[in-house]
């Protein structure tokens, strides 16, 4: 699944609201952790994930279009 916010709608809290909805669903499903990948050049997204407690756990080299690296981030959920 992808989380994307239109460029003209960024900085309005939409990404945070989407993540909060995902966390609510994860709680319902008793999910233990969430792992994602993000383009290492996507600093706003990385900062958003860090704000919610995600930590970098790995790297996929040349993951996007055989050029950009993907940072693997994970969050353990408490129930």
């Amino acid at each position: 699944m992808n989380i994307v916010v239109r460029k003209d709608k960024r900085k309005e809290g939409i990404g945070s609201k989407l993540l909060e909805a995902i966390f609510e669903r994860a709680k319902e499903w008793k999910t233990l952790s969430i792992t994602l990948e993000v383009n290492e050049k996507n600093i706003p997204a990385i900062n958003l994930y860090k704000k919610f407690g995600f930590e970098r756990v790995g790297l996929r080299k040349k993951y996007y279009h055989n050029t950009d690296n993907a940072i693997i981030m994970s969050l353990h959920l408490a129930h």
Side-chain angles (χ1 to χ4, degrees), residues 3-16:
I3 298 174
V4 181
V5 177
R6 281 184 7 194
K7 287 185 180 182
D8 65 327
K9 295 295 183 181
R10 292 181 185 163
K11 305 267 187 194
E12 294 183 17
I14 296 168
S16 292

Side-chain angles (χ1 to χ4, degrees), residues 18-29:
L18 290 169
L19 279 175
E20 289 166 359
I22 290 169
F23 293 149
E24 284 300 314
R25 184 61 55 129
K27 185 177 178 182
E28 291 172 12
W29 292 343

Side-chain angles (χ1 to χ4, degrees), residues 3-5 10-20 22-23 36 38 42-55 73 75:
I3 298 174
V4 181
V5 177
R10 292 181 185 163
K11 305 267 187 194
E12 294 183 17
I14 296 168
S16 292
K17 288 179 182 171
L18 290 169
L19 279 175
E20 289 166 359
I22 290 169
F23 293 149
L36 58 84
V38 59
N42 192 344
I43 302 305
I46 292 167
N47 289 336
L48 175 66
Y49 299 138
K50 285 182 179 179
K51 176 179 128 180
F52 279 90
F54 283 86
E55 295 180 351
M73 301 181 82
L75 174 68

Side-chain angles (χ1 to χ4, degrees), residues 3-4 12 31 35-37 39 63-64 66:
I3 298 174
V4 181
E12 294 183 17
T31 302
T35 302
L36 58 84
E37 92 256 336
N39 190 312
Y63 185 72
Y64 298 104
N66 205 28

